[in-house]
Amino acid sequence: MPLRTEELLLNMGPQHPSTHGVLRLVVTLDGENITDVRPDIGYLHSSVEKMMEHRTYVQNVALTDRGMDYLIALNNEAAYCLAVEALAGVEVPERGRYLRVIFQELNRIASHLVWLGTWGIDLGATTLFLWCFRERERELDLFEQVTGGRLHHVYFRIGGVYADVPDGWAGACRDFLEYFLPHIDEYHQLLTQNPIFEARTRGVGVIGRREAVAMGASGPVARASGIAYDVRKAVPYEVYDRLGFDVPVQASGDCFARYLVRLEEMRQSVRIIRQALKDLPAGEFRARVPVAMKPPRGEVYVRTESPRGTLGMYVVSDGGESPYRVKIRAPSFSNLYALTEIMRGWKIADIIAILGSIDIVLSDVDR
Amino acid sequence: MSTGMPPAGTGVPAEPQPRRTQLGPLAQVVEVLDSLPGGGLILTTVESALNWGRASSLWPLTFGLACCAIEMMAAFASRFDLDRIGVIPRATPRQADLMIVAGRCSIKMAPIVRRLWEQMPEPRYVISMGSCATCGGPFFYDNYSILKGVDQVVPVDVYVPGCPPRPEALIEGILKLQERIKKEPFLRRQALAALDGRAGAR
Amino acid sequence: MSAAERVIRGAAALGTGLGLTFRTMLRRKVTVRYPVEKLPTSHRFHGLLSLPIDPETGKDRCIICFQCERICPDRCIHIEAEGKGKERQLSRFDIEMDKCCYCGLCVEVCPTEAIVFVPHYETSTYNRARLLYSHDDLNRAAPKEPIATGIVARRRP
């Protein structure tokens, strides 16, 4: 007599220690094999796009920190400020642009550190979490000295940055980079050779090159699948065209490749910050922009490279004090879509590894 | 034990009586001990010892909603290390006695927060971390999706303001909760609740 | 790869990781024992908002221009004034600290630096109503409730 088997419907989340927020995955299981995954999003929908229509252009900078991806507050601010500057035709002074680049790259390192630490916990490497946050705290001290905030900064303004860096900050930043670089090697020593880590990530959750393009994946997820696309290289904004850096690419498209790409990105960020600190020009850091600014009627779409992928900002102005419409192209949202396709066929324990390697932030998915 | 209902068939509603819940064996001992001369002293000593133990091992539910969860993680990580004051994160509400609501809670998430709170064993406490959990914060006006304060669904003991609060601020909130726990009439709780006519203490 | 080779490789990787962990154990500790010792905050830290008293005039420097109230993205500053001309004075200056998002826009627009951040973050409270800071509280720039010590109080030096 054949054994009667049934498909099992399993709810993962919204409260689950490994879903990185409030994602709910409705998983259909055949034994231990995944036959279908349907993500249920919207548990953190904060209607930030609608709120932006009710606030002035200057006030919205504070909202981009919180309403969008909270780990990369400064990258969000940069995308928004770039969009409004393009709309209003504001020219940012050189020093302001360099400072923006430095802080965006610092935030990229901070974001990748959180990703590495939490993914480490998911895969059972608790040490990594403690180490990543140790480095991150030192970095947040650097942020705090300049912006006054640890996570939410409201440092970028339309037309530049809020304040200049204090005396001696550049030296402190160089010290941090000196301190931080050897730690990337330590992460490699801990994880890259580790047989357990390799078994859980190598060859798991493969996204092919074609699939990645078809599903709109971007950022490290796409670069791990062999697509050498980086907005900083393709459509340079700020001063990225003057700084030398490489775009790390891996061909295999599995979790391990995504891990390697992100570690290498941190190294490249360090390289960018060093160059920018060296070239940092003196002078003005902020253009004069009225508080009640009214950009002319029009619309603009700006792309930036956030740590999760292509972050797009579409702003429409009707000539008033607040934007007529703001639409955010969230990188996590597209990457999450790619996730549902690649999970099919894997075991249930791999969900955690794959989900963590995509690096979604639910605030970015839901907005 | 009176049920508070009128006796069947009389038609005349009985005098409303305070409902007395059945006391457990522990509460009965407490009640007897409390009535004895000098019993209060013993009770208070035992109580303070118990409360010290409870306050020193607050196990929170790791329940990250939004930005404040990152600062909560930072508080658990190496620099601030909440483990040293006995705060060990638990992943399931069944083992937790403290819920740190970190971040904004959407209306879609609100029933789940309530259910998680109900799944926690008593006595349970809630810390509302950050402006958004406290009253909606930046998402108070012009917003259709965020709950205006998590205290609309769960009772909150300590509010930690900040956007997001520093890890030190969260630790300070936990210390404040410890102070409150130390003053709680933990043993007399059940007896007091029974006398009040309220079933189940809070 | 043969089984023996895998075992050797695995053991070597394990040894590398554990060696690194043990070396880290001997390094300087990074943990701050918070209530007993406190980290200094930077002077730009966005802590509590306050209207400090100017020692020369004995009053705060607010000139009732309503700029902070207008720029606040959370609309958590409430200012009311009475009187006309030179007689005009504040009758209400409240900040809802529970709604505040500590963005610093009000500090930026203030023409007289009347409203500033103080590096004070220990403001947790049992009651949400206490997070409404009135004019007096803002002048005092002090928490409404005493700072907690919890069970570590006895360890305080």
Short mmCIF file of all heavy atoms in Angstrom, two decimals, chain B residues 113-173:
data_model
loop_
_atom_site.label_atom_id
_atom_site.label_comp_id
_atom_site.label_asym_id
_atom_site.label_seq_id
_atom_site.Cartn_x
_atom_site.Cartn_y
_atom_site.Cartn_z
N VAL B 113 0.81 41.65 16.46
CA VAL B 113 1.45 42.11 17.71
C VAL B 113 0.60 41.70 18.90
O VAL B 113 1.08 41.19 19.90
CB VAL B 113 1.65 43.64 17.67
CG1 VAL B 113 2.16 44.15 18.99
CG2 VAL B 113 2.60 44.02 16.57
N ARG B 114 -0.70 41.90 18.75
CA ARG B 114 -1.63 41.54 19.84
C ARG B 114 -1.56 40.02 20.12
O ARG B 114 -1.52 39.59 21.26
CB ARG B 114 -3.05 41.95 19.42
CG ARG B 114 -4.12 41.56 20.40
CD ARG B 114 -4.07 42.42 21.62
NE ARG B 114 -4.89 41.85 22.68
CZ ARG B 114 -5.11 42.46 23.83
NH1 ARG B 114 -4.58 43.64 24.07
NH2 ARG B 114 -5.83 41.90 24.75
N ARG B 115 -1.53 39.23 19.04
CA ARG B 115 -1.53 37.79 19.24
C ARG B 115 -0.23 37.35 19.90
O ARG B 115 -0.24 36.50 20.79
CB ARG B 115 -1.69 37.08 17.90
CG ARG B 115 -1.76 35.58 18.06
CD ARG B 115 -1.88 34.88 16.76
NE ARG B 115 -3.11 35.24 16.07
CZ ARG B 115 -3.41 34.81 14.85
NH1 ARG B 115 -2.58 34.06 14.19
NH2 ARG B 115 -4.53 35.16 14.29
N LEU B 116 0.87 37.93 19.50
CA LEU B 116 2.16 37.58 20.12
C LEU B 116 2.15 37.94 21.59
O LEU B 116 2.66 37.20 22.43
CB LEU B 116 3.30 38.31 19.41
CG LEU B 116 3.68 37.78 18.04
CD1 LEU B 116 4.57 38.76 17.34
CD2 LEU B 116 4.38 36.45 18.18
N TRP B 117 1.54 39.08 21.90
CA TRP B 117 1.47 39.49 23.30
C TRP B 117 0.62 38.50 24.08
O TRP B 117 0.93 38.15 25.21
CB TRP B 117 0.89 40.91 23.38
CG TRP B 117 0.73 41.41 24.76
CD1 TRP B 117 1.71 41.92 25.56
CD2 TRP B 117 -0.47 41.45 25.53
NE1 TRP B 117 1.20 42.27 26.77
CE2 TRP B 117 -0.14 42.00 26.78
CE3 TRP B 117 -1.79 41.09 25.28
CZ2 TRP B 117 -1.08 42.19 27.79
CZ3 TRP B 117 -2.72 41.27 26.28
CH2 TRP B 117 -2.36 41.82 27.51
N GLU B 118 -0.47 38.05 23.46
CA GLU B 118 -1.33 37.10 24.15
C GLU B 118 -0.65 35.74 24.32
O GLU B 118 -0.98 34.99 25.25
CB GLU B 118 -2.65 36.93 23.39
CG GLU B 118 -3.63 38.05 23.69
CD GLU B 118 -4.78 38.10 22.73
OE1 GLU B 118 -4.79 37.30 21.78
OE2 GLU B 118 -5.66 38.95 22.93
N GLN B 119 0.28 35.42 23.44
CA GLN B 119 0.97 34.14 23.56
C GLN B 119 2.03 34.15 24.64
O GLN B 119 2.52 33.10 25.05
CB GLN B 119 1.64 33.80 22.22
CG GLN B 119 0.66 33.26 21.19
CD GLN B 119 1.32 33.04 19.87
OE1 GLN B 119 2.44 33.48 19.63
NE2 GLN B 119 0.63 32.36 18.98
N MET B 120 2.40 35.34 25.11
CA MET B 120 3.44 35.40 26.13
C MET B 120 2.86 35.02 27.48
O MET B 120 1.73 35.40 27.80
CB MET B 120 4.02 36.82 26.21
CG MET B 120 5.05 37.07 25.15
SD MET B 120 5.35 38.79 24.82
CE MET B 120 5.61 39.45 26.42
N PRO B 121 3.60 34.25 28.30
CA PRO B 121 3.07 33.91 29.62
C PRO B 121 3.10 35.11 30.55
O PRO B 121 3.96 35.98 30.43
CB PRO B 121 4.04 32.81 30.09
CG PRO B 121 5.29 33.08 29.37
CD PRO B 121 4.91 33.66 28.06
N GLU B 122 2.18 35.13 31.50
CA GLU B 122 2.16 36.22 32.47
C GLU B 122 3.18 35.95 33.55
O GLU B 122 3.47 34.79 33.83
CB GLU B 122 0.76 36.34 33.07
CG GLU B 122 -0.18 37.02 32.13
CD GLU B 122 -1.48 37.38 32.81
OE1 GLU B 122 -1.59 37.14 34.03
OE2 GLU B 122 -2.37 37.87 32.13
N PRO B 123 3.71 36.91 34.24
CA PRO B 123 3.56 38.34 34.00
C PRO B 123 4.37 38.80 32.80
O PRO B 123 5.48 38.34 32.61
CB PRO B 123 4.10 38.96 35.29
CG PRO B 123 5.06 37.97 35.80
CD PRO B 123 4.57 36.63 35.41
N ARG B 124 3.82 39.66 32.02
CA ARG B 124 4.48 40.10 30.78
C ARG B 124 4.53 41.63 30.74
O ARG B 124 3.67 42.29 31.31
CB ARG B 124 3.75 39.55 29.58
CG ARG B 124 2.30 39.90 29.59
CD ARG B 124 1.52 39.02 28.64
NE ARG B 124 0.10 39.17 28.91
CZ ARG B 124 -0.84 38.36 28.46
NH1 ARG B 124 -0.50 37.32 27.75
NH2 ARG B 124 -2.10 38.55 28.73
N TYR B 125 5.52 42.10 30.08
CA TYR B 125 5.75 43.54 30.02
C TYR B 125 6.01 43.94 28.58
O TYR B 125 6.45 43.14 27.77
CB TYR B 125 6.94 43.94 30.89
CG TYR B 125 6.81 43.45 32.30
CD1 TYR B 125 7.35 42.23 32.68
CD2 TYR B 125 6.09 44.18 33.24
CE1 TYR B 125 7.20 41.75 33.96
CE2 TYR B 125 5.94 43.71 34.51
CZ TYR B 125 6.49 42.49 34.88
OH TYR B 125 6.32 42.04 36.15
N VAL B 126 5.74 45.20 28.30
CA VAL B 126 5.94 45.72 26.95
C VAL B 126 6.73 47.02 27.04
O VAL B 126 6.42 47.88 27.87
CB VAL B 126 4.59 45.98 26.24
CG1 VAL B 126 4.84 46.52 24.85
CG2 VAL B 126 3.77 44.72 26.16
N ILE B 127 7.77 47.10 26.24
CA ILE B 127 8.50 48.36 26.08
C ILE B 127 8.23 48.86 24.69
O ILE B 127 8.39 48.13 23.71
CB ILE B 127 10.01 48.17 26.31
CG1 ILE B 127 10.31 47.94 27.78
CG2 ILE B 127 10.77 49.40 25.82
CD1 ILE B 127 11.77 47.77 28.08
N SER B 128 7.78 50.10 24.60
CA SER B 128 7.56 50.70 23.30
C SER B 128 8.80 51.51 22.96
O SER B 128 9.11 52.47 23.64
CB SER B 128 6.31 51.56 23.34
OG SER B 128 6.42 52.62 22.47
N MET B 129 9.50 51.08 21.94
CA MET B 129 10.79 51.70 21.63
C MET B 129 10.63 52.60 20.42
O MET B 129 10.19 52.16 19.37
CB MET B 129 11.82 50.60 21.35
CG MET B 129 13.18 51.11 21.05
SD MET B 129 14.26 49.76 20.61
CE MET B 129 15.77 50.64 20.30
N GLY B 130 10.98 53.84 20.60
CA GLY B 130 10.98 54.76 19.47
C GLY B 130 9.70 55.55 19.34
O GLY B 130 8.65 55.20 19.87
N SER B 131 9.82 56.62 18.59
CA SER B 131 8.67 57.52 18.41
C SER B 131 7.52 56.81 17.71
O SER B 131 6.36 56.99 18.07
CB SER B 131 9.10 58.72 17.57
OG SER B 131 9.99 59.52 18.25
N CYS B 132 7.83 56.01 16.72
CA CYS B 132 6.76 55.40 15.91
C CYS B 132 5.92 54.45 16.73
O CYS B 132 4.70 54.43 16.62
CB CYS B 132 7.36 54.65 14.74
SG CYS B 132 8.43 55.63 13.73
N ALA B 133 6.57 53.64 17.58
CA ALA B 133 5.80 52.71 18.39
C ALA B 133 5.06 53.45 19.49
O ALA B 133 4.00 53.02 19.93
CB ALA B 133 6.73 51.66 19.00
N THR B 134 5.61 54.58 19.94
CA THR B 134 4.98 55.29 21.04
C THR B 134 3.70 55.98 20.60
O THR B 134 2.68 55.88 21.25
CB THR B 134 5.98 56.31 21.61
OG1 THR B 134 7.15 55.61 22.01
CG2 THR B 134 5.41 57.03 22.79
N CYS B 135 3.74 56.68 19.47
CA CYS B 135 2.51 57.37 19.06
C CYS B 135 2.41 57.54 17.55
O CYS B 135 1.61 58.33 17.09
CB CYS B 135 2.41 58.73 19.72
SG CYS B 135 3.44 59.94 18.95
N GLY B 136 3.19 56.83 16.79
CA GLY B 136 3.15 57.05 15.35
C GLY B 136 4.29 57.92 14.87
O GLY B 136 4.71 57.79 13.74
N GLY B 137 4.76 58.79 15.73
CA GLY B 137 5.94 59.59 15.44
C GLY B 137 5.85 60.36 14.14
O GLY B 137 4.87 61.06 13.89
N PRO B 138 6.86 60.20 13.28
CA PRO B 138 6.84 60.91 12.00
C PRO B 138 5.68 60.49 11.12
O PRO B 138 5.34 61.18 10.18
CB PRO B 138 8.17 60.52 11.35
CG PRO B 138 8.99 59.94 12.43
CD PRO B 138 8.07 59.39 13.44
N PHE B 139 5.08 59.35 11.42
CA PHE B 139 3.99 58.84 10.59
C PHE B 139 2.63 59.13 11.19
O PHE B 139 1.68 58.40 10.99
CB PHE B 139 4.17 57.34 10.36
CG PHE B 139 5.47 56.99 9.71
CD1 PHE B 139 6.57 56.66 10.45
CD2 PHE B 139 5.59 57.05 8.34
CE1 PHE B 139 7.77 56.37 9.85
CE2 PHE B 139 6.79 56.77 7.73
CZ PHE B 139 7.88 56.43 8.48
N PHE B 140 2.56 60.19 12.00
CA PHE B 140 1.29 60.46 12.67
C PHE B 140 0.31 61.14 11.72
O PHE B 140 -0.86 60.77 11.66
CB PHE B 140 1.54 61.33 13.90
CG PHE B 140 0.35 61.46 14.78
CD1 PHE B 140 0.07 60.49 15.72
CD2 PHE B 140 -0.50 62.54 14.67
CE1 PHE B 140 -1.05 60.60 16.53
CE2 PHE B 140 -1.61 62.65 15.48
CZ PHE B 140 -1.88 61.68 16.41
N TYR B 141 0.78 62.12 10.98
CA TYR B 141 -0.12 62.88 10.11
C TYR B 141 -0.05 62.36 8.68
O TYR B 141 0.95 61.80 8.26
CB TYR B 141 0.25 64.36 10.13
CG TYR B 141 0.02 65.00 11.46
CD1 TYR B 141 1.09 65.35 12.28
CD2 TYR B 141 -1.26 65.25 11.93
CE1 TYR B 141 0.89 65.93 13.50
CE2 TYR B 141 -1.47 65.83 13.15
CZ TYR B 141 -0.39 66.16 13.93
OH TYR B 141 -0.60 66.73 15.15
N ASP B 142 -1.11 62.58 7.93
CA ASP B 142 -1.21 62.26 6.49
C ASP B 142 -0.89 60.80 6.23
O ASP B 142 -0.25 60.48 5.23
CB ASP B 142 -0.24 63.12 5.66
CG ASP B 142 -0.30 64.56 6.01
OD1 ASP B 142 -1.42 65.02 6.26
OD2 ASP B 142 0.74 65.22 6.02
N ASN B 143 -1.24 59.92 7.09
CA ASN B 143 -0.82 58.54 6.92
C ASN B 143 -2.01 57.64 7.14
O ASN B 143 -2.79 57.84 8.05
CB ASN B 143 0.28 58.23 7.93
CG ASN B 143 0.95 56.93 7.65
OD1 ASN B 143 0.30 55.91 7.62
ND2 ASN B 143 2.23 56.96 7.43
N TYR B 144 -2.13 56.65 6.27
CA TYR B 144 -3.30 55.77 6.38
C TYR B 144 -2.96 54.37 6.87
O TYR B 144 -3.83 53.56 7.04
CB TYR B 144 -4.00 55.67 5.02
CG TYR B 144 -3.11 55.25 3.88
CD1 TYR B 144 -2.85 53.91 3.67
CD2 TYR B 144 -2.55 56.17 3.04
CE1 TYR B 144 -2.03 53.51 2.64
CE2 TYR B 144 -1.72 55.78 2.00
CZ TYR B 144 -1.46 54.45 1.80
OH TYR B 144 -0.65 54.05 0.79
N SER B 145 -1.68 54.07 7.05
CA SER B 145 -1.34 52.67 7.26
C SER B 145 -0.66 52.37 8.59
O SER B 145 -0.55 51.21 8.96
CB SER B 145 -0.44 52.18 6.12
OG SER B 145 0.74 52.93 6.10
N ILE B 146 -0.17 53.38 9.28
CA ILE B 146 0.58 53.12 10.50
C ILE B 146 -0.31 53.33 11.72
O ILE B 146 -1.08 54.29 11.78
CB ILE B 146 1.82 54.04 10.57
CG1 ILE B 146 2.76 53.76 9.41
CG2 ILE B 146 2.56 53.86 11.89
CD1 ILE B 146 3.45 52.44 9.45
N LEU B 147 -0.20 52.42 12.65
CA LEU B 147 -0.95 52.51 13.90
C LEU B 147 -0.42 53.69 14.70
O LEU B 147 0.79 53.86 14.84
CB LEU B 147 -0.74 51.22 14.68
CG LEU B 147 -1.79 50.84 15.71
CD1 LEU B 147 -3.09 50.57 15.02
CD2 LEU B 147 -1.32 49.63 16.47
N LYS B 148 -1.31 54.50 15.25
CA LYS B 148 -0.87 55.68 15.99
C LYS B 148 -0.56 55.27 17.43
O LYS B 148 -1.29 55.57 18.35
CB LYS B 148 -1.95 56.76 15.96
CG LYS B 148 -2.47 57.07 14.57
CD LYS B 148 -1.46 57.82 13.74
CE LYS B 148 -2.04 58.19 12.40
NZ LYS B 148 -1.90 57.13 11.38
N GLY B 149 0.50 54.57 17.57
CA GLY B 149 0.89 54.14 18.91
C GLY B 149 0.53 52.70 19.15
O GLY B 149 -0.60 52.28 18.94
N VAL B 150 1.51 51.92 19.59
CA VAL B 150 1.27 50.49 19.76
C VAL B 150 0.44 50.24 21.02
O VAL B 150 -0.09 49.16 21.21
CB VAL B 150 2.61 49.75 19.78
CG1 VAL B 150 3.26 49.81 21.14
CG2 VAL B 150 2.45 48.32 19.33
N ASP B 151 0.27 51.28 21.87
CA ASP B 151 -0.54 51.08 23.07
C ASP B 151 -2.02 51.01 22.74
O ASP B 151 -2.85 50.84 23.62
CB ASP B 151 -0.26 52.17 24.11
CG ASP B 151 -0.30 53.55 23.52
OD1 ASP B 151 -0.61 53.65 22.34
OD2 ASP B 151 -0.02 54.52 24.25
N GLN B 152 -2.35 51.13 21.48
CA GLN B 152 -3.75 50.88 21.10
C GLN B 152 -4.06 49.40 21.05
O GLN B 152 -5.22 49.01 21.07
CB GLN B 152 -4.02 51.50 19.72
CG GLN B 152 -3.98 53.01 19.75
CD GLN B 152 -4.40 53.60 18.43
OE1 GLN B 152 -4.77 52.90 17.52
NE2 GLN B 152 -4.32 54.91 18.35
N VAL B 153 -3.04 48.56 20.94
CA VAL B 153 -3.30 47.12 20.89
C VAL B 153 -2.73 46.37 22.09
O VAL B 153 -3.29 45.34 22.47
CB VAL B 153 -2.77 46.48 19.59
CG1 VAL B 153 -3.66 46.83 18.43
CG2 VAL B 153 -1.35 46.86 19.29
N VAL B 154 -1.62 46.83 22.66
CA VAL B 154 -1.08 46.16 23.84
C VAL B 154 -0.80 47.19 24.92
O VAL B 154 -0.49 48.34 24.62
CB VAL B 154 0.22 45.38 23.51
CG1 VAL B 154 -0.06 44.18 22.65
CG2 VAL B 154 1.25 46.26 22.87
N PRO B 155 -0.93 46.81 26.19
CA PRO B 155 -0.60 47.77 27.25
C PRO B 155 0.91 47.95 27.35
O PRO B 155 1.66 46.96 27.39
CB PRO B 155 -1.17 47.12 28.50
CG PRO B 155 -1.23 45.69 28.20
CD PRO B 155 -1.45 45.56 26.74
N VAL B 156 1.36 49.18 27.37
CA VAL B 156 2.79 49.47 27.37
C VAL B 156 3.22 49.89 28.77
O VAL B 156 2.53 50.65 29.44
CB VAL B 156 3.11 50.57 26.34
CG1 VAL B 156 4.58 50.92 26.38
CG2 VAL B 156 2.74 50.12 24.96
N ASP B 157 4.36 49.36 29.22
CA ASP B 157 4.86 49.72 30.54
C ASP B 157 5.84 50.88 30.48
O ASP B 157 5.78 51.78 31.30
CB ASP B 157 5.55 48.50 31.17
CG ASP B 157 4.57 47.42 31.50
OD1 ASP B 157 3.94 47.52 32.55
OD2 ASP B 157 4.40 46.49 30.69
N VAL B 158 6.77 50.81 29.54
CA VAL B 158 7.79 51.86 29.47
C VAL B 158 7.86 52.37 28.04
O VAL B 158 7.88 51.58 27.09
CB VAL B 158 9.17 51.32 29.91
CG1 VAL B 158 10.24 52.36 29.69
CG2 VAL B 158 9.14 50.92 31.37
N TYR B 159 7.87 53.69 27.91
CA TYR B 159 8.03 54.31 26.60
C TYR B 159 9.45 54.84 26.49
O TYR B 159 9.93 55.55 27.38
CB TYR B 159 7.08 55.48 26.44
CG TYR B 159 5.63 55.10 26.46
CD1 TYR B 159 4.92 55.09 27.65
CD2 TYR B 159 4.96 54.76 25.30
CE1 TYR B 159 3.59 54.74 27.68
CE2 TYR B 159 3.64 54.40 25.32
CZ TYR B 159 2.95 54.39 26.51
OH TYR B 159 1.64 54.05 26.56
N VAL B 160 10.12 54.48 25.43
CA VAL B 160 11.47 54.99 25.18
C VAL B 160 11.39 55.89 23.96
O VAL B 160 11.24 55.40 22.85
CB VAL B 160 12.47 53.85 24.94
CG1 VAL B 160 13.87 54.41 24.79
CG2 VAL B 160 12.42 52.85 26.05
N PRO B 161 11.47 57.21 24.13
CA PRO B 161 11.42 58.08 22.96
C PRO B 161 12.75 58.13 22.24
O PRO B 161 13.79 57.78 22.79
CB PRO B 161 11.04 59.43 23.55
CG PRO B 161 11.61 59.40 24.90
CD PRO B 161 11.60 57.98 25.36
N GLY B 162 12.72 58.58 21.03
CA GLY B 162 13.93 58.66 20.21
C GLY B 162 13.62 58.17 18.82
O GLY B 162 12.67 57.42 18.64
N CYS B 163 14.42 58.58 17.86
CA CYS B 163 14.09 58.16 16.50
C CYS B 163 15.35 57.86 15.74
O CYS B 163 15.81 58.67 14.98
CB CYS B 163 13.28 59.23 15.79
SG CYS B 163 12.55 58.65 14.26
N PRO B 164 15.91 56.68 15.84
CA PRO B 164 15.64 55.68 16.88
C PRO B 164 16.41 56.01 18.15
O PRO B 164 17.40 56.73 18.08
CB PRO B 164 16.18 54.39 16.26
CG PRO B 164 17.24 54.85 15.33
CD PRO B 164 16.87 56.21 14.86
N PRO B 165 15.98 55.47 19.29
CA PRO B 165 16.72 55.72 20.53
C PRO B 165 18.11 55.08 20.46
O PRO B 165 18.29 54.06 19.79
CB PRO B 165 15.88 55.04 21.61
CG PRO B 165 14.65 54.62 20.98
CD PRO B 165 14.85 54.58 19.51
N ARG B 166 19.05 55.68 21.12
CA ARG B 166 20.36 55.04 21.21
C ARG B 166 20.23 53.73 21.96
O ARG B 166 19.30 53.56 22.75
CB ARG B 166 21.32 55.93 22.00
CG ARG B 166 21.79 57.15 21.31
CD ARG B 166 22.58 57.96 22.28
NE ARG B 166 23.87 57.36 22.57
CZ ARG B 166 24.97 57.61 21.88
NH1 ARG B 166 24.92 58.46 20.90
NH2 ARG B 166 26.11 57.04 22.18
N PRO B 167 21.14 52.79 21.77
CA PRO B 167 21.08 51.57 22.57
C PRO B 167 21.10 51.85 24.07
O PRO B 167 20.43 51.16 24.84
CB PRO B 167 22.32 50.81 22.14
CG PRO B 167 22.60 51.29 20.78
CD PRO B 167 22.17 52.70 20.73
N GLU B 168 21.84 52.89 24.46
CA GLU B 168 21.85 53.25 25.89
C GLU B 168 20.45 53.63 26.36
O GLU B 168 20.06 53.31 27.48
CB GLU B 168 22.78 54.43 26.14
CG GLU B 168 24.24 54.12 26.01
CD GLU B 168 24.81 54.74 24.76
OE1 GLU B 168 24.17 54.55 23.70
OE2 GLU B 168 25.86 55.36 24.83
N ALA B 169 19.71 54.35 25.51
CA ALA B 169 18.37 54.75 25.89
C ALA B 169 17.48 53.53 26.09
O ALA B 169 16.66 53.49 27.01
CB ALA B 169 17.78 55.67 24.83
N LEU B 170 17.65 52.52 25.24
CA LEU B 170 16.86 51.30 25.41
C LEU B 170 17.25 50.59 26.70
O LEU B 170 16.39 50.12 27.44
CB LEU B 170 17.10 50.37 24.21
CG LEU B 170 16.42 49.01 24.32
CD1 LEU B 170 14.92 49.16 24.35
CD2 LEU B 170 16.82 48.10 23.20
N ILE B 171 18.56 50.56 26.99
CA ILE B 171 18.99 49.91 28.23
C ILE B 171 18.41 50.67 29.42
O ILE B 171 17.96 50.07 30.39
CB ILE B 171 20.53 49.87 28.29
CG1 ILE B 171 21.08 49.04 27.13
CG2 ILE B 171 21.00 49.28 29.61
CD1 ILE B 171 22.57 49.08 27.00
N GLU B 172 18.38 52.00 29.31
CA GLU B 172 17.81 52.78 30.40
C GLU B 172 16.33 52.44 30.59
O GLU B 172 15.85 52.33 31.71
CB GLU B 172 17.98 54.27 30.09
CG GLU B 172 17.96 55.16 31.31
CD GLU B 172 16.71 55.99 31.38
OE1 GLU B 172 16.01 56.05 30.36
OE2 GLU B 172 16.44 56.54 32.46
N GLY B 173 15.64 52.24 29.46
CA GLY B 173 14.23 51.84 29.56
C GLY B 173 14.08 50.50 30.24
O GLY B 173 13.18 50.30 31.06
#
